[in-house]
Amino acid sequence: MGRFLIRRLIHMFAVLVAVLIIVSLLLRLIPGDPVDAMMAGNPGMSQENMDAVREQLGLTDPMYVQVMSYSLDLLRGDMGESLRFRSPVFPLIMEKLPATIELTVFAMIMAILIAIPLGMITALQRDRPADYLGSIVAVIGISIPSFLLGILLILVFAVEWRIFPAAGYGGSLTGSIRHLVTTGDPSPLGTSLRYLFLPGITLGVAAAAYNARMVRSAMIEVLGQDYIRAAEAKGLPRRTVVLRHTLRNALIPVITILGLQIGYLLSGAFVVENVFAWPGIGRFSVQALSWRDYPTIQGIVMITALIFLTINLLVDVLYAMLDPRIRIG
Amino acid sequence: MSNAQIAQPAAGVTSPQHRTGVRRLLRELFRSTKGMTGAILVGLAILAAITAPVVAPHSPTKTSVRAKFAEPVFIDRSSDFLLGGDNLGRDTFSRILYGARASLAIGFLVTLVASVIGSFLGAVAGFRGGIVDTLIMRAVDLQLSMPFILLAMIVLAVLGPGFWSVAIALTLALWVNYARLVRGETLRIREMEYVVSARAIGLADQRILTRHILPNMLHSILVLATLDMAFVIIFEASLTFLGLGIQPPTPTWGFMLSEGRNYLSESPWMTVFPATAVILTVVGINLLGDWLRDTFDPSLRTR
């Protein structure tokens, strides 16, 4: 296990370095530099001023010097200054990150909570009406773009029925849980959940539908195995056979894709945040792109890649613990 | 016993007689509810895209003050606009027909280019091995370490928004699927007896690859490409919705939805109809892809 972990960590580091280099190089190919973007707001800026600012920001250095100095700063935890806010990038991103993590985790939990029962029922009811209905729902769930689902949910639950707010953020979820624990007052938690619900569902539905199909086919495969027949033959209750012998084994392939799925959910969060005006890094990055705020974009890409790689590493470790055969490979 | 084994073709090898012919495939299609539903939905979208100039009652881009927020025919019988007018008085129905063009064009283009490039690189990686393999697979790892949307946004920022930028971003995101699939299959097939014997009789590598290895994975590639096309259409619409994709005045479903969002309560038809178009098209493609997978590889049947 130790060597497996070390090899994976080295690999992860190499990938991060490559991401860093490629992203820095690509971002400098963007037409128009940040000084042009600044000038758009200050028509009075003279050519000399612009050159001075470029010099000051290090934009006149050769590309490799810019990339090198950025990397060295990064090792010290310094991601540079946002060109827009004139303040360090790292705290800016960290300020927005919790909202994105809350949204993604909530969506993931939704995806699992919907997928397992749906997959189980459709597998056990194979080729009966419940199975057909579940499968139709799953295909639609996979086919509906998240932004579109978001709009439709807003139309129904916020515009027509006014049950949930149409957009916005109801305060930090972890903060409100802490508030509940320390003061016993549940109202902030209620508010943040009310705001979280529609974007969370929107983001989670596609993953839920996909997982439900996976659980279904994995369950069907496991149900056909000899050891299930043996378990039934020795008279174990149906419940035990389904939950302990079948579901547990059927979940292994699902766990392996959860890592990749976090990537999809993060991608999806970037879109969903813009639909629901959710103040996370997804919305922030679309704004940063329009401001041509290189250091911020670069910071967001690096942090997202780091999170994504860490999750994948954790999933691999989890998988290796569940299935010892993997460690050898 | 040994005779029986020889008579059995090895798993995964399709001799010409066993290859599913187009006619047999069509016969299977007519028998499957899922396949037919998918084919009809996709057929409708293709039909809309092709016949848009003939069928569309109005110009998709012509604005008119009179038709601003015009109600659809089923609300106002005298309305001239089947599915209503939008905020600039353009005909929703005509725009949906034309919108099919952008979605399908990018869907076909991206999956075609990504699958050709990806399959080629995957085959070379698997067949050659060594440093070529390492380089290609490291590129794959790198791409997979970035959530797609970040890649897309960087590409869109560098190239500026537009049809071709979206196409390039999505191609960059998808080629890895084919590279991984084809590399794995190539590694497996490369060691099979018929390939070993093809090499033994002195066939060139290139010929072995194009004549003996790639044709055996066409089915898997086709299934993947169909399902990817659904992904492409969803993401083009998403990026266009965010204002990063195809730019107006080109009529696109994504842009119609981003405009419709501002008039949800007053003119819901601006949202509901393009939404239906996107959903039905993507559902159709997914059903067709699922059906293809079930047909080509019954062991993966998921329904």
Side-chain angles (χ1 to χ4, degrees):
Chain A
M1 197 70 188
R3 282 187 59 182
F4 166 79
L5 207 62
I6 289 170
R7 211 173 54 212
R8 288 301 316 265
L9 280 172
I10 294 174
H11 180 236
M12 186 170 145
F13 182 74
V15 170
L16 276 176
V17 170
V19 169
L20 170 70
I21 294 173
I22 291 177
V23 169
S24 333
L25 289 178
L26 278 180
L27 285 180
R28 277 165 184 79
L29 292 177
I30 293 180
D33 70 5
V35 179
D36 291 330
M38 286 175 201
M39 209 210 46
N42 301 301
M45 223 170 160
S46 70
Q47 189 62 42
E48 289 95 76
N49 286 343
M50 284 167 66
D51 289 341
V53 175
R54 283 200 177 99
E55 186 80 38
Q56 209 183 335
L57 295 173
L59 294 170
T60 46
D61 296 338
M63 239 185 230
Y64 72 94
V65 175
Q66 293 186 36
V67 174
M68 276 303 286
S69 72
Y70 182 78
S71 314
L72 289 176
D73 289 344
L74 195 64
L75 287 178
R76 293 196 302 265
D78 175 7
M79 294 189 147
E81 249 186 25
S82 158
L83 301 174
R84 170 88 182 187
F85 296 103
R86 297 304 170 98
S87 64
V89 164
F90 189 68
L92 277 177
I93 297 176
M94 283 302 142
E95 186 189 309
K96 310 267 189 312
L97 192 58
T100 300
I101 292 178
E102 279 170 16
L103 180 62
T104 312
V105 170
F106 184 81
M108 194 83 197
I109 293 172
M110 279 293 150
I112 297 170
L113 285 185
I114 299 172
I116 292 179
L118 190 64
M120 247 173 73
I121 293 167
T122 47
L124 295 173
Q125 297 281 318
R126 193 179 180 185
D127 292 334
R128 296 206 203 124
D131 182 22
Y132 287 107
L133 188 68
S135 303
I136 291 172
V137 170
V139 169
I140 295 176
I142 287 173
S143 304
I144 189 165
S146 59
F147 75 92
L148 181 47
L149 181 65
I151 296 175
L152 295 179
L153 289 179
I154 291 175
L155 183 61
V156 175
F157 291 99
V159 176
E160 285 297 319
W161 294 346
R162 301 176 187 280
I163 305 175
F164 292 106
Y169 185 56
S172 153
L173 190 64
T174 42
S176 59
I177 291 174
R178 207 177 308 129
H179 183 78
L180 174 67
V181 173
T182 50
T183 64
D185 171 22
S187 60
L189 181 62
T191 311
S192 47
L193 282 178
R194 254 166 51 84
Y195 277 91
L196 185 56
F197 193 75
L198 286 187
I201 290 282
T202 302
L203 184 55
V205 158
Y210 188 81
N211 290 349
R213 281 159 49 121
M214 290 246 330
V215 171
R216 178 182 179 274
S217 54
M219 285 266 299
I220 287 175
E221 202 190 316
V222 176
L223 281 171
Q225 301 285 324
D226 286 340
Y227 63 83
I228 298 299
R229 210 170 313 143
E232 273 171 347
K234 76 180 177 187
L236 287 182
R238 180 88 177 142
R239 235 180 101 87
T240 317
V241 176
V242 168
L243 292 180
R244 188 168 306 163
H245 296 252
T246 312
L247 186 61
R248 243 180 95 161
N249 286 307
L251 285 185
I252 292 182
V254 179
I255 291 173
T256 53
I257 65 150
L258 287 187
L260 268 180
Q261 210 158 63
I262 297 243
Y264 284 121
L265 283 179
L266 268 178
S267 294
F270 279 62
V271 177
V272 172
E273 283 181 7
N274 282 289
V275 177
F276 286 93
W278 190 259
I281 55 171
R283 191 149 164 267
F284 190 41
S285 62
V286 173
Q287 293 169 331
L289 269 175
S290 66
W291 299 327
R292 289 191 189 125
D293 193 343
Y294 299 156
T296 305
I297 300 171
Q298 217 163 357
I300 293 173
V301 171
M302 288 311 291
I303 286 182
T304 317
L306 181 67
I307 296 174
F308 187 51
L309 286 168
T310 312
I311 292 166
N312 275 321
L313 180 69
L314 289 179
V315 170
D316 282 355
V317 170
L318 191 65
Y319 193 41
M321 289 196 304
L322 279 177
D323 189 345
R325 281 172 303 179
I326 308 301
R327 259 173 266 168
I328 305 157
Chain B
M1 185 64 202
S2 61
N3 273 341
Q5 272 174 348
I6 291 168
Q8 289 285 330
V13 181
T14 5
S15 59
Q17 306 92 286
H18 285 196
R19 205 173 289 156
T20 320
V22 174
R23 196 176 297 173
R24 220 188 93 193
L25 202 59
L26 279 178
R27 207 181 317 133
E28 288 261 353
L29 180 65
F30 280 112
R31 233 183 286 145
S32 150
T33 324
K34 178 156 76 178
M36 271 316 277
T37 315
I40 290 171
L41 291 176
V42 174
L44 278 176
I46 295 177
L47 195 69
I50 294 175
T51 61
V54 186
V55 178
H58 299 272
S59 149
T61 47
K62 205 191 98 211
T63 58
S64 105
V65 183
R66 189 181 54 88
K68 249 184 175 179
F69 302 112
E71 291 181 329
V73 166
F74 56 88
I75 298 179
D76 172 10
R77 294 292 289 277
S78 65
S79 174
D80 202 18
F81 299 89
L82 187 60
L83 304 180
D86 70 3
N87 53 325
L88 299 177
R90 292 167 297 191
D91 178 37
T92 306
F93 179 59
S94 307
R95 286 173 68 72
I96 287 178
L97 292 179
Y98 276 94
R101 298 189 147 193
S103 284
L104 291 182
I106 205 154
F108 278 114
L109 182 76
V110 168
T111 38
L112 184 70
V113 175
S115 59
V116 168
I117 294 177
S119 306
F120 173 75
L121 290 176
V124 170
F127 200 68
R128 282 285 159 79
I131 182 86
V132 182
D133 184 24
T134 312
L135 280 177
I136 294 175
M137 291 324 283
R138 286 299 80 86
V140 168
D141 281 351
L142 186 65
Q143 205 277 294
L144 289 176
S145 72
M146 261 208 258
F148 158 72
I149 200 84
L150 288 184
L151 183 80
M153 291 218 247
I154 294 165
V155 173
L156 290 169
V158 174
L159 299 178
F163 181 90
W164 293 105
S165 313
V166 176
I168 290 171
L170 283 161
T171 309
L172 277 176
L174 290 180
W175 71 275
V176 289
N177 295 345
Y178 302 89
R180 295 209 304 174
L181 170 80
V182 171
R183 176 177 175 272
E185 287 284 287
T186 306
L187 286 178
R188 192 173 65 80
I189 297 176
R190 189 176 65 168
E191 302 308 326
M192 287 195 166
E193 276 176 36
Y194 77 98
V195 175
V196 175
S197 39
R199 196 175 300 147
I201 60 171
L203 284 188
D205 281 0
Q206 203 186 344
R207 198 176 158 82
I208 296 177
L209 258 182
T210 54
R211 298 298 296 272
H212 297 275
I213 294 187
L214 280 175
N216 273 313
M217 340 174 167
L218 278 182
H219 288 171
S220 320
I221 295 174
L222 188 63
V223 170
L224 190 58
T226 313
L227 296 173
D228 273 351
M229 193 184 293
F231 173 86
V232 172
I233 291 180
I234 286 180
F235 260 94
E236 178 274 312
S238 307
L239 291 172
T240 304
F241 174 80
L242 292 180
L244 302 168
I246 302 173
Q247 300 297 304
T250 311
T252 51
W253 294 338
F255 187 69
M256 292 176 77
L257 288 164
S258 98
E259 283 193 317
R261 177 170 65 148
N262 302 324
Y263 308 98
L264 269 185
S265 44
E266 308 92 321
S267 314
W269 54 85
M270 280 178 62
T271 297
V272 172
F273 296 117
T276 314
V278 179
I279 296 172
L280 288 183
T281 306
V282 180
V283 165
I285 296 173
N286 273 327
L287 286 176
L288 208 55
D290 279 359
W291 169 76
L292 275 176
R293 180 172 52 194
D294 295 350
T295 311
F296 289 149
D297 188 353
S299 66
L300 291 175
R301 192 174 287 267
T302 55
R303 217 240 321 293

